[in-house]
Amino acid sequence: DTAVSQTPKYLVTQMGNDKSIKCEQNLGHDTMYWYKQDSKKFLKIMFSYNNKELIINETVPNRFSPKSPDKAHLNLHINSLELGDSAVYFCASSPPRGSRGASDGELFFGEGSRLTVL
Amino acid sequence: SQKIEQNSEALNIQEGKTATLTCNYTNYSPAYLQWYRQDPGRGPVFLLLIRENEKEKRKERLKVTFDTTLKQSLFHITASQPADSATYLCALSSGGYNKLIFGAGTRLAVHP
């Protein structure tokens, strides 16, 4: 199936640990994103990569480090986890502007990775 | 500072009625605005996009309007069904690189 897939779906860990979330899209898109959705359901952009190049880097603690080995993958590594990092992290991708069959700017989201820091 | 507000946290309507959701923004001049649907435990799903030079967009039972003077978008679902129950998010483009800023969402419940 064509999709944006994230692993793991659930992650429970202790404060201070380091963890990674992986994301892959097989839609052929050039741009990928990480969004964080907190307990109040606000969806906030964290990072965006276009063809492996970082293009959006919001005010995010440098404990968060994205890595894009190729344009189909965007991973998120988090060091020294804190309680406030507990949230659902969504990966998304979007096609280039003007792509046939897609609206400009439409995001395709993964199902989310729920991170709980104890 | 830039702000996006969606009219209410929750909206309850009867099946068959039209649901109208509101998205207001301040201190933005978005090139386009999008609406997404999010079901519990799932990722948001794109519904409609409307550009700043468009007044209205339709897709099946969905209609979106965009008033850049009022800085408001209205999202309508006609002939609503219980299956339309979900959280609906509006998102505005902010700057380049397709950076989207999302509202907090409105939880719609359609009762039989």
Side-chain angles (χ1 to χ4, degrees):
Chain A
D1 287 343
T2 55
V4 179
S5 56
Q6 303 177 222
T7 54
K9 192 170 170 64
Y10 299 98
L11 193 51
V12 181
T13 189
Q14 299 287 333
M15 261 190 346
N17 284 350
D18 303 339
K19 289 293 176 188
S20 292
I21 306 171
K22 295 187 175 182
C23 179
E24 175 183 3
Q25 55 94 5
N26 59 3
L27 298 164
H29 292 167
D30 289 340
T31 310
M32 296 184 72
Y33 311 78
W34 278 110
Y35 276 81
K36 177 181 179 181
Q37 189 168 44
D38 60 25
S39 56
K40 293 186 178 169
K41 303 300 182 188
F42 272 104
L43 202 55
K44 290 183 184 171
I45 189 164
M46 300 173 70
F47 303 103
S48 176
Y49 273 73
N50 185 63
N51 266 322
K52 302 194 298 177
E53 182 187 343
L54 181 66
I55 57 172
I56 297 175
N57 186 353
E58 290 297 282
T59 309
V60 176
N62 58 15
R63 297 181 296 104
F64 291 78
S65 52
K67 276 200 174 62
S68 181
D70 55 62
K71 73 173 193 176
H73 295 85
L74 180 61
N75 304 323
L76 183 65
H77 188 76
I78 316 170
N79 289 327
S80 304
L81 279 156
E82 299 177 358
L83 293 176
D85 297 333
S86 295
V88 182
Y89 293 85
F90 285 99
C91 178
S93 68
S94 65
R97 291 200 169 189
S99 297
R100 187 185 301 179
S103 303
D104 275 357
E106 171 186 354
L107 296 186
F108 293 74
F109 282 88
E111 295 293 350
S113 297
R114 180 176 292 278
L115 172 65
T116 304
V117 183
L118 304 174
Chain B
S1 62
Q2 295 175 327
K3 212 172 170 183
I4 304 173
E5 283 183 347
Q6 295 194 236
N7 55 325
S8 56
E9 202 174 302
L11 185 65
N12 292 284
I13 64 165
Q14 208 66 32
E15 183 176 6
K17 302 289 186 188
T18 295
T20 298
L21 284 65
T22 306
C23 179
N24 294 299
Y25 59 93
T26 55
N27 298 323
Y28 275 110
S29 294
Y32 51 87
L33 185 151
Q34 301 181 22
W35 284 88
Y36 287 79
R37 169 184 173 141
Q38 187 173 23
D39 290 287
R42 309 295 297 274
V45 175
F46 172 81
L47 296 173
L48 280 166
L49 177 150
I50 187 165
R51 299 183 193 288
E52 59 181 338
N53 60 349
E54 296 174 319
K55 295 287 185 195
E56 184 180 297
K57 214 62 165 308
R58 289 176 188 260
K59 181 182 172 184
E60 297 169 355
R61 294 184 295 111
L62 308 180
K63 184 177 92 171
V64 171
T65 63
F66 193 9
D67 188 325
T68 54
T69 303
L70 290 179
K71 294 187 182 294
Q72 180 183 79
S73 174
L74 299 179
F75 177 79
H76 306 272
I77 306 175
T78 57
S80 59
Q81 304 163 1
D84 295 326
S85 299
T87 295
Y88 292 86
L89 306 167
C90 75
L92 279 69
S93 63
S94 175
Y97 299 120
N98 196 28
K99 179 178 166 183
L100 290 181
I101 307 299
F102 282 82
T106 297
R107 195 171 63 250
L108 173 68
V110 181
H111 301 284

